[in-house]
Amino acid sequence: MLKGKVALVTGASRGIGREIAKKLASQGAAVIINFSGSKEKACEVKQEIEDSGGAAALYQWDVSDYAACEAGMKNIIREYGRLDILVNNAGITRDGLLMKMTEEDFDRVIRINLKGAFNTIRFASRQMLRQRSGRIINISSVTGVAGNAGQANYAAAKAGLIGLTKTAAKELASRGITVNAIAPGFIETDMTAGLSDKVKEGAMAQIPLGVFGKAEDVAAAAAFLASPDARYITGQVLHVDGGMVM
């Protein structure tokens, strides 16, 4: 379904990004695995994709670094000649109550989770405009829709990502580029594994389906939005949350 397409997935060395990279590769896309931390983890994803017969490459840079994003995108276009799919998945948490949150923790989450997406869209859209085609998928969160105590920085960034999605969708639609967001709920990842049993029980009580989602559920949604089947969908927020936010 995605044969001949080139996809960039940010923060693809673990969790949701890892599964999205694997899913897109399984459908024929050449996947660029972006990461800023452990190269070992990123190499594992690349190896998994290649062992399954897919194509993958590693590109390391911090998405919050504007100049690094520009250089990285130029290198991708130089190497592949095109970019068809951009998935903005890179993100971090620095949780804490608003009245106790440090300026550094607030700024760091905004820079990576929100400004990082602006940076990649800023440079990826140039190539997509030339191609007159492209798919941009931003990984937001139910927290960006409903808020969550102790996550003012994360909620602000993820809510901002929805606004960025809708604006970019309006600006780029005339050139055949779609821009959508996915808002995952509680997904089984390294990030949620560290939550206390009390927090997990409270979360479960809010989910009508009664179970946490899996990273593969989000990957399936991303693959759909990247596919030709989603050609007439843009500016939307797809909730993958078991009915948590309706």
Side-chain angles (χ1 to χ4, degrees), residues 103-151:
E103 180 182 21
E104 182 181 353
D105 282 347
F106 186 87
D107 288 350
R108 184 63 176 154
V109 170
I110 295 294
R111 284 199 305 269
I112 292 178
N113 297 21
L114 180 56
K115 184 174 182 288
F118 161 76
N119 290 342
T120 56
I121 293 172
R122 169 75 169 75
F123 297 112
S125 60
R126 290 180 177 178
Q127 178 62 30
M128 291 180 175
L129 287 166
R130 284 193 288 267
Q131 295 169 186
R132 300 188 72 88
S133 67
R135 297 280 192 272
I136 298 173
I137 302 160
N138 298 319
I139 306 302
S140 181
S141 169
V142 293
T143 300
V145 178
N148 192 37
Q151 289 193 308

Side-chain angles (χ1 to χ4, degrees), residues 145-165:
V145 178
N148 192 37
Q151 289 193 308
N153 48 4
Y154 188 76
K158 293 301 187 178
L161 200 52
I162 291 173
L164 178 62
T165 296

Side-chain angles (χ1 to χ4, degrees), residues 1-9 18-33 45-46 48-57 80 82-87 135 137 219 222-228:
M1 187 178 290
L2 299 177
K3 188 173 178 60
K5 303 295 185 182
V6 177
L8 167 61
V9 183
R18 180 188 191 111
E19 294 305 320
I20 291 175
K22 289 163 57 180
K23 185 70 172 180
L24 296 180
S26 74
Q27 296 194 359
V31 176
I32 297 156
I33 299 163
V45 183
K46 182 175 183 290
E48 280 189 64
I49 289 173
E50 292 175 343
D51 287 347
S52 298
Y80 292 90
R82 62 185 301 110
L83 181 65
D84 303 286
I85 301 161
L86 167 63
V87 181
R135 297 280 192 272
I137 302 160
F224 165 67
L225 290 174
S227 76

Side-chain angles (χ1 to χ4, degrees), residues 184-243:
F186 279 86
I187 306 295
E188 294 177 356
T189 64
D190 292 343
M191 194 178 288
T192 56
L195 298 174
S196 68
D197 289 341
K198 183 178 180 180
V199 171
K200 289 180 181 178
E201 289 171 8
M204 195 73 76
Q206 300 176 57
I207 303 171
L209 283 180
V211 294
F212 283 177
K214 296 184 180 298
E216 291 88 345
D217 298 322
V218 184
F224 165 67
L225 290 174
S227 76
D229 291 339
R231 70 173 190 86
Y232 202 56
I233 300 172
T234 195
Q236 302 304 307
V237 182
L238 176 57
H239 289 257
V240 182
D241 61 6

